[in-house]
């Protein structure tokens, strides 16, 4: 699966990267990323996740062909 | 169904909610007339030269364009449901925006001014809190900081 | 003492609060930038094509010019006392104003948008209720009527 | 003294006219004008009065050299 991160998350991860297929839902993705970079754990708790341009909950099932976008809190304006 | 200004909507039908280039604030205002609207309210969110005591050189805005566009459209549709508006448009910059430039604009128009003010504030509040748009502040001392709060 | 935008005040120092000619809405907005202001709010009160079910051709505004000028200046000074504004200007038309034209404009700017919206509404509400300015509506059926209520 | 009326009051009185010196305050001016044109009595009750660009109360003393402005309720915008 493809992961895209935005804004401050780019200071913790590449803007876009691939992950293996053993991750099956958003909650496990969040844990996995917190392990990859422990200093991102705090901000990851505040993030929203989107698949196919729709926000999804933590129990949303993800598969290998999905692109998952991770959004830090917004601050437009 | 959105109650809105069909003639004006036609004029601004091609307006992108997200723009990589400078916002045409003056042009959008000039187009924002409707024969049934007695009140036009415009909000321009601009880049300040200071924030939290730090001198600001410029900002850079990043958006998830397709989702931000869809969310701004939905917020405007909600505003049109809540108030009888003749005009309701909003546009947000991406990319580098310098001090004094407009980062976001909202224009509302209605028969009476109470609705135009209320809808305008509603739209900008929701855009700022909900739309996937982020700013990175570049300070004069060379540091930068991704924003996580509304500053205007 | 008015807390205000000295540079902008210089630019609009010659602005008359009462104008017999068309208001330069777009020009006033274009000038309404201040490096400390993150939020600019503009209100334009425009002539509607209908009022109370009657088709309107145009309005005519009459003012006691010297008193209206003094009162609008005082209202703006009060707004500057109540909120930390970088910009606060207002201008009202006299004479014939046609449908879609601006009869009154208020522009406010401040670091944060809450103050800019609140001050803007405060200024227009007080101008409408207190300043010695009256409108006469000329209807499409040839009748006319002096207004005694706010219509926008 | 000189009287100036505005807006709808011009449908009841000349825009500008002179009155005799027997009128000594705003209250008596108001009564006098209501007698001159009884149909204006209602609107005159709602009017504000100004002398030398200042609003004045009903007990304000007026003299022959004053110009008194009479303002119906405002409706700017």
């Amino acid at each position: 699966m493809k992961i895209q991160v935005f804004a401050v998350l780019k200071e913790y991860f590449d803007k876009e990267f691939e992950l293996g297929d053993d991750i099956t839902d958003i909650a496990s993705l969040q844990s996995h990323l917190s392990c990859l970079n422990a200093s991102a754990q705090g901000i990851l708790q505040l993030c929203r996740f989107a698949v196919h341009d729709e926000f999804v909950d933590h129990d949303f099932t993800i598969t290998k062909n999905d692109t998952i976008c991770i959004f830090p809190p917004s601050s437009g304006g | 169904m959105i109650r809105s200004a069909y003639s004006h909507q036609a004029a601004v039908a091609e307006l992108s909610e997200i723009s990589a280039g400078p916002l045409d604030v003056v042009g959008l205002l000039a187009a924002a007339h409707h024969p049934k609207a007695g009140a036009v309210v415009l909000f321009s969110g601009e880049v300040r030269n200071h924030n939290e005591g730090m001198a600001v050189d410029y900002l850079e805005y990043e958006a998830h364009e397709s989702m931000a566009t869809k969310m701004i459209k939905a917020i405007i549709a909600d505003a049109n449901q809540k108030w009888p508006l003749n005009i309701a448009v909003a546009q947000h910059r991406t990319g580098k925006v310098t001090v004094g430039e407009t980062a976001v604009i909202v224009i509302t128009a209605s028969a009476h001014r109470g609705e135009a003010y209320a809808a305008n504030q509603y739209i900008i509040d929701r855009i700022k809190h909900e739309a996937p748009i982020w700013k990175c502040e570049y300070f004069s001392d060379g540091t930068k900081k991704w924003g996580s709060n509304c500053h205007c």
Side-chain angles (χ1 to χ4, degrees), chain A, chain B:
Chain A
M1 62 190 62
K2 191 193 288 180
I3 311 297
Q4 286 179 342
V5 305
F6 291 82
V8 72
L9 282 178
K10 293 184 296 185
E11 296 179 358
Y12 300 91
F13 303 99
D14 289 339
K15 180 164 175 48
E16 200 171 305
F17 57 97
E18 294 279 342
L19 280 184
D21 303 343
D22 50 325
I23 296 163
T24 54
D25 61 18
I26 296 294
S28 56
L29 172 62
Q30 201 175 27
S31 312
H32 184 79
L33 293 174
S34 297
C35 294
L36 281 179
N37 186 339
S39 61
Q41 189 170 357
I43 183 75
L44 282 167
Q45 299 300 319
L46 302 171
C47 286
R48 291 181 294 177
F49 296 76
V51 179
H52 298 134
D53 278 11
E54 297 285 349
F55 288 117
V56 294
D57 290 329
H58 281 194
D59 60 0
F60 187 84
T61 301
I62 48 183
T63 63
K64 63 178 178 178
N65 293 318
D66 286 333
T67 296
I68 297 101
C69 293
I70 312 184
F71 297 159
S74 293
S75 65
Chain B
M1 192 59 208
I2 298 173
R3 287 173 294 181
S4 195
Y6 296 107
S7 60
H8 183 266
Q9 282 208 324
V12 298
E14 299 310 313
L15 183 72
S16 305
E17 282 72 15
I18 301 295
S19 167
L23 304 189
D24 182 12
V25 177
V26 155
L28 287 172
L29 177 62
H33 297 286
H34 188 279
K36 293 187 179 172
V40 176
V41 174
L42 176 148
F43 170 78
S44 168
E46 308 193 348
V47 175
R48 289 189 288 144
N49 65 357
H50 274 78
N51 193 35
E52 293 165 12
M54 300 271 283
V56 173
D57 268 4
Y58 63 92
L59 302 193
E60 244 180 73
Y61 286 90
E62 180 180 339
H64 186 295
E65 245 188 81
S66 59
M67 284 188 72
T69 299
K70 199 166 73 169
M71 288 180 73
I72 292 175
K73 283 184 197 293
I75 291 165
I76 288 173
D78 286 349
N80 275 299
Q81 287 296 322
K82 289 170 75 81
W83 293 281
L85 304 174
N86 302 111
I87 295 170
V89 294
Q91 197 175 34
H92 203 299
R93 271 297 300 276
T94 53
K96 180 174 173 176
V97 186
T98 57
V99 171
E101 274 195 296
T102 296
V104 55
I105 183 173
V106 179
I107 301 178
T108 50
S110 58
H112 303 281
R113 68 185 182 280
E115 290 88 339
Y117 278 113
N120 201 286
Q121 283 195 268
Y122 169 89
I123 291 167
I124 188 61
D125 286 350
R126 284 196 55 194
I127 287 174
K128 280 177 170 271
H129 288 107
E130 299 174 30
I133 304 169
W134 305 270
K135 69 159 154 268
C136 188
E137 294 177 294
Y138 290 81
F139 299 104
S140 302
D141 67 1
T143 61
K144 70 169 189 172
K145 185 186 172 199
W146 281 98
S148 62
N149 290 302
C150 296
H151 290 140
C152 83

